[in-house]
Amino acid sequence: MYLQRYSKGNDPKTDKGNATVVMDRLDYEAKVQRLLDSGTYRKLPRDPTPAIERRVNDKLLSLQRKDVLSRPLYRQLRSSSGLCPIIFGQPKIHKPDTPLRPIVSTRGSPTYALAQHLTNILQPLVGQGVHHVRNSKHFVEQICQMNVSNSDLLISFDVESLFTSVPVKDACAIILERLKFDRTLPDRTQLSPLEIHDLLEMCLNSTSFRWRDTFYRQTEGAAMGSPLSPVVANMFMEHFEETALQSATHKPKVWLRYVDDTFVVWQHGAEETNNFLRHLNSQHECIKFTMEMENEGSIPFLDTKITRTAQGSLSHQVYRKPTHTDRYLNYRSFHHPSVLRSINKTLVKRAHEVSDQIHLRGELEHIKRVLKCNNYPSHKICTELPPSRNPHVGQPKARVVLPYLGAASQKIQRILREADIEVRHSSSNKLQSALTTHKDKRNSKDLPGVYRIPCECGKVYIGETGRSFNTRIKEHKAHGRRDERDKSAIIDHAHTHDHRILWDESRLVTRVPYWHQRRVREALEIEEHNTVPQDSGLQLSNIWLTVLDKEANLPN
């Protein structure tokens, strides 16, 4: 069985609730396999990640040599021991038979850093059309003064599987034309429109991933999970809707869109709605819409429910799907108080932004009941609109993220605040991490971190790597074959004393993604183990040595 927590919070992009989904393992795997056999994906004979990494790095190196990319930016974007993305399915609990939404986790892949950089370049171009909706608050601002007649219809046209349907070649061509007329582009990058286009195509066409022990490539559209996909989908849809609306025989009175969802006021009668739907579906072979009509004068859009009134205006309130559980972070959870307060603030802020005056009181009462059900004390529940953040307040000179330890963390926070250091808290020990996950686990040999290589004499070599453990071990072995003792302390030790290295017992001690943390952990492991003569790396503060001595003297 798989026990999965499916939560997307209160972001207006999603309204799926917060639930724990229990699925039969075989049923889950069968649904993923049906997705992979749908024709959108093609099976590959081997892992294409090394080839993709070489292609990305060669392209970036050529741009760096042209002085288009600075040396620091080149080092930031280039990939080293990139990981193959992994696919998993998110259950759509609001739909019959609970189908899966395919998500490709691209973090750590050869194109991830480049995709993020391109997203930052392209993001200012998104939302320049008159039909674009930024979020629920912006949508409510658009409709609050709107009037509709009795003959007008409220309709929603939604794109089926937009991300996996976006025609990559056409989308890149549209973006290239937009970039050519973007006068602010030189302020964001030294890359030319054509160079951005080429990098964009390379990222979007590098859509391989792994499912269990088999590798696949997405043959159509953009992968859900890539930083680029929302930007590319938005820019394509802006061009699509402009062309479709201009060429339509009957045009809607109102057309507002958030990514793949639209809110439409239609004034040409019900008999013409199907003709307009056919017109939309004839614009591009890859893009197909479904249509939802108003029900009893109401229709949902994002997390807003819109209802026509007798006076011809549109009322609006917070909308929750029938599958919404009203489950939020429990007040008894071991989290920093500011995290718990933010749940209350977020719900109240959304209520004031989305609900009109008729529905606001009812929504605030609902929030009170829900928070009490999540063990929030009555005196901790506030329904007043939280004050806006003062934009003139200076930024702290530094920020740190520390694990939350209770009262001690709050004392540390007060001390650091006096030094103008902002503290954010993380909670690493979560119940979710202890439950069986539906995601493929990466092999520890593919991860960065601190590792150990033992020798037959009982001594070990401790090292750290930001690349994969497997790659670093191969490098040590290569140093041994070439007798490069100066490049590997364990090789030098083995050759000097004629010892045998126990390669099969080498292992990753712990996964540590960040360089400074790896250096600290490496130094701690060196201090704890009987190591071969090697560079001790980071010099530990005496406070660490005191802690280690105390741990060593603790009773078993």
Side-chain angles (χ1 to χ4, degrees), residues 2 25 28-29 83-88 105 210-213 432-447 511:
Y2 282 122
R25 183 189 299 268
Y28 170 80
E29 294 185 351
L83 302 174
C84 182
I86 293 175
I87 194 172
F88 60 93
S105 177
R210 177 170 63 85
W211 165 248
R212 300 302 185 241
D213 295 322
Q432 182 180 4
S433 62
L435 302 176
T436 301
T437 177
H438 62 304
K439 299 179 183 179
D440 273 1
K441 292 185 178 179
R442 294 195 184 275
N443 191 317
S444 62
K445 293 185 177 181
D446 295 331
L447 300 173
R511 179 191 178 187

Side-chain angles (χ1 to χ4, degrees), residues 5 16 21 35 60 164 260 305 397 402 455 504 531 534 543 550 555:
R5 186 169 182 260
K16 309 298 188 299
V21 180
L35 284 172
L60 293 174
T164 55
D260 59 345
K305 181 179 180 181
K397 65 181 181 183
L402 301 175
C455 178
D504 292 339
T531 60
Q534 65 177 103
I543 191 172
K550 286 183 178 180

